[in-house]
Amino acid sequence: MEEEFRVLLKRVRAELVSPAEFTAYERLLALARTDGRAARDELAEVLVAPEQPLWAREIAAFALGVQGDRRAFETLVLLLNYREPVRCATAAHVLARLRDPRTARAAAALATNPLRTAYAVHPVRLLTELRAPESVPALLSTLERLLAARDHCWPVARACVEGLGLLGDRRAEATLVAAREHERLRPAAVVALARLNGRPLPTVRARNVPRA
C-alpha cells in the first residue's frame, strides 16, 4: 500500500465517530485491498450511491484511481476543487496516476476560474505535472489575471510561476518578467527565467517575505 493511501486512511480514521462508521470504513478498506473486477465494481457503487459520506467516496476514488479505473474521475475532480487543501492534494496525486485524457481540461478549467482562485494551487500543480497542451495556456492565463488583480493570491501566483519555469515554454517569458517585479514572486520568477533561458539556477534570498 503506497504511503499516500496510508496518510489518507489515518486522516479518515480521525474523522470517524460511531461504530457504524468504523464498520463501514473496515468494509471499504477490505474492498480497496482486494484485487479483481467485483471489488472495483463495489467501490464504483460507493461513488454514486446516495448518502455516502465524503470520506467513503474519497477512499473509493483513490483505490479505483490508482488502478486506472476511470470511474473515479468525476469524484476526483470534485475533490480537486474542494475547500480542504489536504483533499485537493490527495485528488491531484491520484489524477496524475489515473491518466484520464479529460484531466488536463478539468484542471485547466479549475485553475482559470476566477471564482475558485483560492482553491487553484493544486490544479495548477497538477497541470505542471501533466505537461499537457492545456498546461502552459492555463498557467499563463491564471498568472496574468493575478498579476493584474488587486488580490494577487500569492500562493496560486507562485505555483504558476514555478510551474511555468518547470514547463520551460518560452511563451511564458514576458509574464515571468512581469512577475519578477513583485517582491513575493521575485525569487520564484528569477529561478523560472533561469530555467527558461538555460542558465544555472541562481541562489536567491527572499528578504523576510512571508510565503502567503
Side-chain angles (χ1 to χ4, degrees):
M1 186 185 301
E2 62 179 281
E3 182 61 26
E4 287 81 2
F5 195 45
R6 293 191 185 93
V7 171
L8 166 60
L9 296 178
K10 182 178 179 180
R11 169 165 55 81
V12 167
R13 280 188 66 87
E15 299 176 11
L16 306 180
V17 293
S18 71
E21 286 180 327
F22 278 100
T23 299
Y25 168 85
E26 292 296 340
R27 179 179 178 277
L28 197 56
L29 182 55
L31 286 173
R33 288 171 168 166
T34 302
D35 291 329
R37 179 74 187 191
R40 291 198 302 274
D41 287 346
E42 288 195 57
L43 289 169
E45 283 296 320
V46 172
L47 300 181
V48 297
E51 300 181 5
Q52 290 290 327
L54 183 62
W55 60 261
R57 298 184 195 277
E58 187 176 13
I59 290 174
F62 192 112
L64 288 169
V66 296
Q67 295 181 69
D69 192 318
R70 291 179 179 176
R71 288 176 289 183
F73 175 77
E74 286 81 5
T75 300
L76 291 170
V77 170
L78 173 67
L79 292 167
L80 182 64
N81 193 38
Y82 202 67
R83 64 180 176 272
E84 295 178 48
V86 65
R87 285 195 156 104
C88 299
T90 300
H93 169 78
V94 183
L95 283 165
R97 296 274 301 275
L98 182 60
R99 296 298 180 184
D100 190 296
R102 298 169 291 177
T103 299
R105 292 192 299 274
L110 295 176
T112 57
N113 184 345
L115 300 178
R116 305 297 292 173
T117 298
Y119 308 107
V121 166
H122 291 289
V124 165
R125 290 177 178 165
L126 177 58
L127 284 165
T128 302
E129 184 174 358
L130 292 174
R131 294 181 173 270
E134 296 88 347
S135 297
V136 170
L139 268 59
L140 273 175
S141 173
T142 302
L143 180 57
E144 288 167 358
R145 172 169 52 82
L146 292 176
L147 292 179
R150 178 176 297 179
D151 179 6
H152 299 294
C153 199
W154 299 114
V156 178
R158 188 180 303 111
C160 290
V161 169
E162 292 167 350
L164 289 167
L166 289 169
L167 291 170
D169 192 307
R170 296 199 63 82
R171 289 177 292 176
E173 185 168 15
T175 304
L176 289 173
V177 168
R180 191 176 57 189
E181 298 304 309
H182 295 263
E183 190 171 6
R184 296 195 186 203
L185 299 179
R186 187 171 301 133
V190 168
V191 171
L193 285 164
R195 289 183 186 276
L196 220 62
N197 293 300
R199 297 196 300 266
L201 299 185
T203 300
V204 181
R205 293 183 179 179
R207 293 174 294 179
N208 297 320
V209 177
R211 287 287 294 174

